[in-house]
Amino acid sequence: MSFAVTLPDGSKKEFEKEISVKELASSIATSLAKKAVGAKINGALKPLDYKINEDVEAAIVTDEDEEGLDILRASAAFLLEAVIKNKYPEMHFGLHEADEGGFFVDTDKEDQIKVSELPALEKAMEKAIKNGEKIEYAKMSRGELEDIFKDDPYKMELLKDADSEVDVFKLGDFVDFGFDALLPNTGKIKNFKLLSVAGAYWLGKSSNPMLQRIFGTAFFKKAALDEDLKRRAEIKERDHRTIGRDLDLFFVDPKVGAGLPYWMPKGATIRRVVERYIVDKEVADGYEHVYTPVLMNVDAYKTSGHWAHYRDDMFPPMDMGDGEMLELRPMNCPSHIQIYKHHIRSYRELPIRIAELGMMHRYEKSGALSGLQRVREMTLNDGHTFVALDQIREEFAKVLKLIMDVYKDFDITDYYFRLSYRDPKNTDKYYANDEMWERSQSMLKAAMDDLGLDYVEAEGEAAFYGPKLDIQTKTALGNDETMSTIQLDFMLPERFGLTYVGQDGEEHRPVMIHRGIVGTMERFIAYLTEIYKGAFPTWLAPIQAEIIPVNEDAHGAYADKVREELAKRGFRAEVDHRNEKLGYKIRESQTQKVPYTLVLGDDEMNVNGVNVRRYGTEEQISKSLDDFIAEIDADVKSYSREK
């Protein structure tokens, strides 16, 4: 037997007999072998005990590599399964996964594992870690595994697609498969933490049983674990789902519809302020706002290409019984095209700017749903402009200016520009017209160059019908997210036969510019909630002033009068008439992050004044009601920016 192992630097090592990954690492360098936790063999992760007996390309994976962290986390998931199985022998396991976020294990225990049980599971894991118990790598036939897991419906389903021989790992009597590579023993798993539990449908399908998903994370170094836990605490503090619950902004109840948020009065107020703001901005910028149905004949989406390219994300069509098939719209573009087509258009009308707060529906998988960020029903701040060819650059600049104005008012500063192109090799995803793509991409790039703006270019991020400028923001949780888009489209006007009568009296094809200023209302308000940590600036706050009478009998009527004065001027104020102590009411106002707390007693009532406390401060200032009204008015009109 003779074979060669090609290393990442192109060099080769010749061997005369079968070797393990561990032996390969030792043959390269003793120091490398000490740090090795696995290898990539022909691009696939393998454990240290994996045997090599043929020509391969190999790269040793150490505890300093990203793949090494994946191996550590997969090992922690495997160990968690083992200690759970030891405690609950009847337990079945679903999916398990390790990635840059940590790891998870799905279980089917009928009486679910509670968060309070996680410390006990950690202790059991720590005992195995302290003993450095061996994790054995082996191969077993699919038939052998089917005998082992014959009473486990989840493993049996996974084995349907398994090869005749399967990689398995053993810890004592515990056996599992589906892991690429694990550590040779439990000793290095010592810096780990079990984090939380949640529900997860088997294989992500809502028609399947609901399992319990246990999340955790692990690092090779304690300092890295401590830093990650600190980051997670910050995320939890900013999580819009937690804030939304605590401030009573919205809720989602899977029992009445997963991914379908209910906006409570306070959340609805924030959304209404944003919607009124954006509509007024767009109308002032020359857009005509419309309303279009959420249902459309499925043939329109076949014409647009959404049916071919986006079908998996659309809800099934509804058969109306007379041959008509209606579809819940996943996009507003065909609807606005119908508005354009309703009249014969002249070059004198161009650009024609159509906008809508358009409700859309997308069939998101249950496992992907998350608060307001990933939903099945959403309202997009959508707009489409129909322009002549020579109007593209000017209209592009105009849209970009509108976006920048909006960002200024919402105090959005952490963003960058990305030109998103097609991947010419991906003929399934992108509309096949090389000339159209080259033309539209070069025009978009030229428009950005004309404006002198820095940008990055990303192949494979375009919409299926055309290239786009994506404005990428950093969320409060550090994620990269598309906030706004401007898309250039030559395809849909062609497919729908759009025309306008030119100066020459002939028909010409318009170009369509798709644009979204703040994306969907759901995702945008989730973003704002996390950026502000729920402490919305005064112009957006659902309650702008909380009015608290010192004594209900003596000052309650005056408190109502102050509220009426504020309401007359368009400010959102409430009076706390509850039979609670004054200190409790003030703390509650701060907990609810109300911008202004007004305390009213004899001194204030006698001079038609208020005692004002701003959110986040201890300072209390007495002033006349008129002066306070002037202050809050200036605060709102300046979009709560520092003056």
Side-chain angles (χ1 to χ4, degrees):
M1 177 190 295
S2 178
F3 59 92
V5 176
T6 303
L7 301 176
D9 63 1
S11 63
K12 293 188 177 183
K13 293 185 75 69
E14 302 282 344
F15 296 93
E16 297 297 327
K17 63 177 183 177
E18 182 179 78
I19 61 167
S20 68
V21 167
K22 181 72 172 178
E23 290 168 332
L24 172 63
S26 295
S27 75
I28 299 170
T30 304
S31 60
L32 181 64
K34 288 180 179 178
K35 296 191 295 183
V37 295
K40 291 179 75 172
I41 306 296
N42 294 332
L45 273 179
K46 297 295 180 183
L48 290 175
D49 288 341
Y50 179 79
K51 303 297 184 182
I52 304 170
N53 54 22
E54 60 182 351
D55 292 347
V56 296
E57 293 182 355
I60 301 299
V61 174
T62 74
D63 55 14
E64 296 175 355
D65 297 321
E66 285 186 19
E67 293 92 344
L69 203 53
D70 289 341
I71 292 173
L72 171 68
R73 289 169 175 171
S75 303
F78 177 75
L79 177 57
L80 173 60
E81 287 186 346
V83 300
I84 292 175
K85 189 70 173 178
N86 184 59
K87 186 173 182 179
Y88 303 108
E90 76 284 3
M91 179 71 76
H92 296 144
F93 297 101
L95 299 177
H96 46 66
E97 190 172 302
D99 57 25
E100 70 278 0
F103 65 86
F104 70 75
V105 167
D106 287 348
T107 72
D108 78 337
K109 186 170 179 287
E110 189 172 318
D111 180 17
Q112 301 286 20
I113 292 174
K114 301 176 179 62
V115 175
S116 59
E117 291 183 70
L118 297 185
L121 294 177
E122 287 179 343
K123 282 190 184 325
M125 292 174 69
E126 287 166 359
K127 182 179 179 182
I129 292 165
K130 186 177 181 180
N131 295 335
E133 295 178 12
K134 181 176 174 57
I135 299 175
E136 181 185 352
Y137 166 68
K139 288 183 177 290
M140 297 180 71
S141 71
R142 186 172 64 189
E144 288 178 290
L145 289 173
E146 286 173 341
D147 285 341
I148 293 172
F149 294 110
K150 60 181 181 294
D151 297 324
D152 187 328
Y154 311 110
K155 295 299 184 187
M156 291 299 287
E157 186 165 352
L158 293 173
L159 284 169
K160 287 179 183 177
D161 299 321
D163 295 333
S164 58
E165 193 174 60
V166 181
D167 289 351
V168 302
F169 291 89
K170 301 178 181 180
L171 183 65
D173 295 332
F174 179 70
V175 179
D176 199 7
F177 62 91
F179 295 98
D180 294 323
L182 299 183
L183 298 170
N185 61 69
T186 60
K188 286 190 175 182
I189 312 176
K190 56 187 177 182
N191 300 307
F192 77 96
K193 182 69 177 174
L194 300 184
L195 300 167
S196 61
V197 295
Y201 288 111
W202 169 235
L203 299 179
K205 296 179 181 178
S206 58
S207 56
N208 284 342
M210 173 70 79
L211 304 182
Q212 184 184 49
R213 181 163 290 177
I214 304 175
F215 292 92
T217 193
F219 291 86
F220 286 106
K221 295 180 179 178
K222 185 176 185 304
L225 175 63
D226 291 342
E227 182 62 30
D228 183 70
L229 295 178
K230 180 180 176 183
R231 180 186 64 84
R232 289 177 186 274
E234 170 73 7
I235 288 174
K236 188 175 182 181
E237 184 183 357
R238 289 185 181 272
D239 192 321
H240 79 279
R241 294 167 298 182
T242 302
I243 295 170
R245 180 197 65 215
D246 293 345
L247 300 187
D248 200 24
L249 304 180
F250 74 95
F251 70 88
V252 180
D253 186 348
K255 293 178 182 177
V256 293
L260 303 174
Y262 285 73
W263 295 83
M264 297 298 284
K266 290 180 182 178
T269 297
I270 297 168
R271 173 172 170 163
R272 185 167 57 251
V273 172
V274 173
E275 289 179 342
R276 286 174 176 171
Y277 164 87
I278 202 68
V279 169
D280 289 346
K281 272 280 189 186
E282 289 175 341
V283 169
D285 213 43
Y287 286 86
E288 297 178 289
H289 260 260
V290 299
Y291 295 101
T292 57
V294 297
L295 291 168
M296 193 175 227
N297 194 300
V298 72
D299 290 342
Y301 299 110
K302 292 178 179 179
T303 300
S304 70
H306 288 98
W307 188 252
H309 293 274
Y310 208 75
R311 184 174 179 177
D312 289 344
D313 295 303
M314 298 169 67
F315 279 90
M318 290 175 273
D319 188 344
M320 305 309 292
D322 56 1
E324 183 181 31
M325 302 291 286
L326 293 181
E327 177 67 39
L328 280 167
R329 67 178 175 194
M331 300 286 186
N332 301 315
C333 332
S335 301
H336 291 182
I337 284 171
Q338 298 309 312
I339 295 282
Y340 179 90
K341 287 183 68 174
H342 192 62
H343 296 298
I344 296 172
R345 304 295 183 173
S346 164
Y347 73 95
R348 297 180 186 277
E349 298 175 74
L350 303 184
I352 293 176
R353 304 181 184 95
I354 297 171
E356 179 179 10
L357 293 172
M359 184 181 289
M360 310 181 306
H361 294 80
R362 296 181 185 173
Y363 185 56
E364 296 278 4
K365 302 293 188 241
S366 297
L369 299 173
S370 177
L372 295 177
Q373 286 178 325
R374 294 294 292 271
V375 293
R376 287 175 171 163
E377 178 182 274
M378 65 219 74
T379 299
L380 182 64
N381 161 227
D382 209 0
H384 297 90
T385 304
F386 301 86
V387 298
L389 201 60
D390 61 359
Q391 295 173 325
I392 288 176
R393 291 195 186 185
E394 183 179 352
E395 187 64 22
F396 178 88
K398 183 180 177 66
V399 174
L400 192 53
K401 181 182 182 303
L402 175 59
I403 292 172
M404 294 299 98
D405 286 347
V406 170
Y407 281 20
K408 181 181 178 183
D409 289 341
F410 284 98
D411 197 26
I412 299 170
T413 57
D414 192 1
Y415 60 85
Y416 67 93
F417 299 111
R418 183 183 77 187
L419 286 182
S420 298
Y421 305 141
R422 70 160 175 169
D423 176 359
K425 298 173 188 168
N426 192 340
T427 53
D428 291 333
K429 180 178 178 181
Y430 297 107
Y431 180 59
N433 186 323
D434 290 342
E435 182 184 353
M436 180 275 286
W437 281 102
E438 291 300 324
R439 183 186 196 189
S440 56
Q441 288 179 176
S442 62
M443 291 185 78
L444 201 58
K445 180 174 170 58
M448 285 296 286
D449 290 339
D450 282 350
L451 295 170
L453 296 171
D454 294 330
Y455 55 85
V456 299
E457 297 174 283
E459 191 175 90
E461 295 292 338
F464 74 84
Y465 48 77
K468 55 181 178 161
L469 170 69
D470 289 321
I471 304 180
Q472 300 296 112
T473 58
K474 280 287 186 189
T475 69
L477 310 185
N479 300 319
D480 202 41
E481 189 173 272
T482 302
M483 177 71 72
S484 311
T485 60
I486 309 175
Q487 303 171 6
L488 207 53
D489 182 3
F490 288 80
M491 187 196 83
L492 290 185
E494 182 72 31
R495 285 196 161 196
F496 282 95
L498 304 186
T499 61
Y500 67 90
V501 178
Q503 197 167 0
D504 57 3
E506 300 295 322
E507 287 189 344
H508 298 267
R509 187 82 67 211
V511 179
M512 195 171 171
I513 297 176
H514 307 243
R515 45 101 294 194
I517 305 301
V518 296
T520 68
M521 290 298 107
E522 289 75 13
R523 182 170 287 186
F524 186 57
I525 290 170
Y527 168 83
L528 294 178
T529 301
E530 293 180 350
I531 288 292
Y532 299 138
K533 289 188 181 180
F536 292 93
T538 307
W539 75 283
L540 281 174
I543 301 171
Q544 296 168 323
E546 183 78 13
I547 304 167
I548 302 175
V550 172
N551 180 284
E552 179 61 34
D553 293 335
H555 313 117
Y558 177 59
D560 288 333
K561 177 188 171 187
V562 170
R563 190 204 67 79
E564 289 169 10
E565 287 296 318
L566 292 171
K568 272 193 241 179
R569 290 163 173 79
F571 301 116
R572 299 181 290 277
E574 281 189 355
V575 179
D576 190 342
H577 285 300
R578 291 178 300 167
N579 184 26
E580 299 285 356
K581 292 181 179 180
L582 178 62
Y584 174 84
K585 292 183 180 182
I586 293 173
R587 286 193 300 275
E588 183 76 3
S589 180
Q590 294 288 294
T591 300
Q592 291 296 303
K593 305 184 180 185
V594 179
Y596 293 94
T597 300
L598 308 182
V599 179
L600 309 183
D602 287 340
D603 291 344
E604 290 73 33
M605 186 172 65
N606 292 337
V607 297
N608 199 38
V610 292
N611 182 275
V612 183
R613 177 174 170 176
R614 290 295 305 263
Y615 171 73
T617 71
E618 297 292 333
E619 186 180 24
Q620 299 177 49
I621 301 174
S622 293
K623 57 182 66 179
S624 71
L625 179 57
D626 288 342
D627 285 348
F628 171 70
I629 289 173
E631 177 184 343
I632 192 173
D633 186 53
D635 192 1
V636 169
K637 286 179 177 175
S638 67
Y639 298 105
S640 304
R641 291 194 291 263
E642 292 293 329
K643 298 179 281 295

